[in-house]
Amino acid sequence: MKREEEYRYDERQAAATARDAARRDGRTFRGAGEPDAGERGATPDPAGENAERQKVRLFTGDRVLWIIIAALAVISILVVYSSTAKMAYDASAARTTAHFLRQQLMILAASLVVMIAVQKINCRIYNYFARPVYFISVLLTLAVYFIGATTNGAARWIPLGPFQFQPSEALKVATVLFLAQQLASRQSKIDKIRIVPTWRFWTWRSSPAQRKIWREGTVPILLPVIISCLVIFPAHTSSAVLVAMASWVMMLIGRVRFGELMKLVGWGVAGIVLIMTLNLGRSETAEGRVSTWIHLWTETQVDKPIEHLTDTERSMIAIHNGGILGEGAGQSAMRVEMIHPESDYAYAFFVEEYGLLLALVLLMLYLWIFFRAIEIFRRCGTAFPGLLVLGLALLITCQALLHIMVTVNLIPETGQTLPLISRGGSSTLFTTIALGMILSVSRQNDEKSHDTPRAETLYER
């Protein structure tokens, strides 16, 4: 009896050893008397294959989003190459028609490398670096007003040798990142917090209730957004408005009390009136653009000399020339007349050469980015990655919509570029960083590798 028990023990030990060896070799052990994978026809192990595929895949995350990014990059090359032809023939600059094409290809290639690196990072790391990244971006944007290069009456760039860096583009992404962190960490009590103090400012220090509002809501949630808008506003008013809009929607999704958000709208309107009254920042430029926009809608523009046309009028002529099918690649006539067909009016230029049908497809691509972000958001389960994805997608999609509405004269001129398409380094770089963060969250959704702190669930009550 004892010998039989020892024999069974040795058999179990041998089976365990064989099983461990099979796991190390990547095979599945079926037990004594069962055929191995080679005898059964070698059915592969799906889990092992998936794990191996995850190791070697370079482009991870939402595949549809990758296709959209590739399509926008191709369109960018076409638009920049054709629209910069007039700049190549400038007698004061020794450039060829391929100069700006090579430049744009280098920017897109570098941005692609950055995006691939960003989408491999765990999104929780963004949470840890949100605060320092935000403060560094604010300081750099402030530094522009002292050491930056001024163009068209606005200081927006810091010269870095042959390159120019626009810190406000970094600050837009950093604000969304920081706000997502602040909202996520307060999800368990966010619907009870007040964020907007009373207009009776003399009670802010004396009233315990007002001090609580400042401590719990105004300083951590609202003040960072206000600082970002104030810092960006003097050089790029429309970017400040864009940050404010995206932040407001993020607060709405993050379950901030709706009454507080409506108070915030009231404060915003009062702030705009005050700025315009005191003529702060670029109020004069903004007022002139609004007046021009109203004039275009209310006065007849027949028989107006072409040298007196605004860029918006020229963009509408370009759209009219394009028609349904377009003039054809490289056949634009208005690129010579428009000041910035490669950046501020890239969409109108695209319509002229490729037609309204393809222009509608381009518009759908930007809307598709936002709808893919909604799908990624639904799969997150916790607040930080979800709010981060939606906030970044709002920045990209709203910027594209602002650009398109300017070209068809629905709103006054803003100077917003078309994300990933318009010529430009800082805008393209930080757009791809934002897309890389979205893809990072999507990748972790697929891998189910998100940590799920209970205090951050969007459904916490």
Side-chain angles (χ1 to χ4, degrees):
M1 193 69 181
K2 185 175 180 182
R3 181 185 290 276
E4 185 178 352
E5 287 177 2
E6 288 176 357
Y7 173 78
R8 287 177 182 172
Y9 174 79
D10 291 342
E11 188 178 29
R12 285 196 299 270
Q13 191 174 30
T17 304
R19 192 181 297 111
D20 291 338
R23 287 197 188 103
R24 285 194 296 271
D25 292 339
R27 299 190 302 267
T28 304
F29 183 79
R30 306 298 299 174
E34 292 186 38
D36 61 12
E39 294 172 349
R40 293 193 319 272
T43 45
D45 178 20
E49 272 192 8
N50 288 340
E52 192 66 28
R53 198 179 294 117
Q54 291 285 350
K55 291 178 183 176
V56 298
R57 277 183 63 189
L58 190 63
F59 304 100
T60 54
D62 191 277
R63 293 183 180 180
V64 175
L65 194 52
W66 275 112
I67 294 171
I68 295 170
I69 294 167
L72 293 176
V74 171
I75 294 171
S76 173
I77 294 168
L78 296 174
V79 168
V80 170
Y81 181 56
S82 184
S83 64
T84 54
K86 70 165 187 175
M87 300 166 69
Y89 293 112
D90 186 354
S92 62
R95 292 166 177 159
T96 65
T97 53
H99 171 80
F100 297 104
L101 174 63
R102 288 195 299 267
Q103 191 179 64
Q104 188 69 4
L105 283 171
M106 288 173 58
I107 291 170
L108 288 172
S111 299
L112 176 63
V113 171
V114 172
M115 182 167 56
I116 291 173
V118 169
Q119 56 110 17
K120 295 294 184 183
I121 300 173
N122 189 305
C123 71
R124 278 289 152 187
I125 295 178
Y126 306 141
N127 197 357
Y128 300 142
F129 286 97
R131 191 180 296 270
V133 166
Y134 171 78
F135 287 116
I136 291 171
S137 300
V138 169
L139 292 175
L140 287 174
T141 307
L142 283 172
V144 168
Y145 302 117
F146 302 99
I147 62 173
T150 302
T151 306
N152 297 329
R156 297 176 183 171
W157 294 274
I158 295 177
L160 298 174
F163 305 102
Q164 287 188 322
F165 173 63
Q166 191 172 359
S168 61
E169 293 294 329
L171 184 54
K172 289 194 292 187
V173 176
T175 303
V176 169
L177 179 61
F178 190 57
L179 183 59
Q181 182 203 53
Q182 296 301 308
L183 290 171
S185 63
R186 290 165 174 79
Q187 281 302 298
S188 59
K189 56 181 179 179
I190 192 68
D191 52 349
K192 303 178 182 66
I193 294 176
R194 293 177 60 189
I195 65 170
V196 182
T198 179
W199 61 270
R200 295 189 292 271
F201 59 88
W202 56 87
T203 65
W204 289 351
R205 290 179 63 87
S206 59
S207 169
Q210 290 302 311
R211 288 202 302 271
K212 183 179 179 182
I213 292 172
W214 273 89
R215 184 176 63 254
E216 294 184 352
T218 307
V219 172
I221 297 174
L222 188 56
L223 195 58
V225 177
I226 294 173
I227 290 173
S228 296
C229 292
L230 290 176
V231 168
I232 296 172
F233 174 79
H236 212 160
T237 305
S238 58
S239 290
V241 173
L242 181 62
V243 169
M245 289 168 51
S247 301
W248 192 91
V249 176
M250 284 181 67
M251 291 180 200
L252 178 64
I253 297 168
R255 300 193 302 111
V256 173
R257 294 163 64 174
F258 189 71
E260 296 296 293
L261 294 176
M262 295 313 296
K263 288 180 189 176
L264 195 54
V265 171
W267 274 100
V269 172
I272 292 171
V273 171
L274 180 64
I275 287 168
M276 298 300 289
T277 303
L278 299 177
N279 199 23
L280 300 175
R282 302 188 73 205
S283 301
E284 233 176 88
T285 303
E287 189 176 345
R289 289 176 176 178
V290 172
S291 299
T292 302
W293 177 67
I294 294 173
H295 178 73
L296 290 177
W297 277 103
T298 56
E299 302 290 336
T300 179
Q301 309 298 320
V302 179
D303 298 329
K304 192 174 183 180
I306 193 166
E307 61 269 15
H308 295 160
L309 294 176
T310 65
D311 267 359
T312 301
E313 289 175 292
R314 292 170 183 173
S315 75
M316 290 191 288
I317 293 173
I319 292 172
H320 176 268
N321 291 343
I324 301 297
L325 299 177
E327 296 284 344
Q331 302 302 312
S332 169
M334 291 307 296
R335 65 183 170 188
V336 180
E337 302 297 336
M338 286 190 286
I339 297 176
H340 297 296
E342 78 287 354
S343 56
D344 293 359
Y345 290 91
Y347 189 76
F349 173 81
F350 182 83
V351 176
E352 185 178 14
E353 291 206 342
Y354 298 98
L356 284 170
L357 287 180
L358 287 179
L360 286 174
V361 173
L362 178 57
L363 173 60
M364 291 300 108
L365 288 177
Y366 284 110
L367 295 176
W368 207 354
I369 289 175
F370 185 65
F371 288 125
R372 294 310 301 172
I374 292 175
E375 185 61 29
I376 296 169
F377 166 79
R378 286 175 176 167
R379 297 175 58 197
C380 285
T382 52
F384 176 71
L387 290 171
L388 179 63
V389 163
L390 281 184
L392 294 173
L394 276 168
L395 276 183
I396 296 169
T397 304
C398 288
Q399 182 175 330
L401 292 177
L402 286 176
H403 175 100
I404 292 169
M405 286 191 288
V406 167
T407 61
V408 296
N409 201 34
L410 287 178
I411 60 174
E413 185 182 345
T414 62
Q416 290 293 333
T417 57
L418 195 58
L420 270 187
I421 290 181
S422 293
R423 175 174 168 259
S426 298
S427 176
T428 301
L429 175 62
F430 287 102
T431 298
T432 51
I433 287 175
L435 289 167
M437 290 181 176
I438 295 173
L439 288 166
S440 171
V441 175
S442 173
R443 173 184 59 80
Q444 289 191 253
N445 285 346
D446 295 338
E447 297 172 355
K448 296 181 172 54
S449 59
H450 285 299
D451 52 349
T452 54
R454 178 171 171 74
E456 285 191 22
T457 173
L458 283 168
Y459 307 104
E460 184 79 23
R461 295 292 179 186

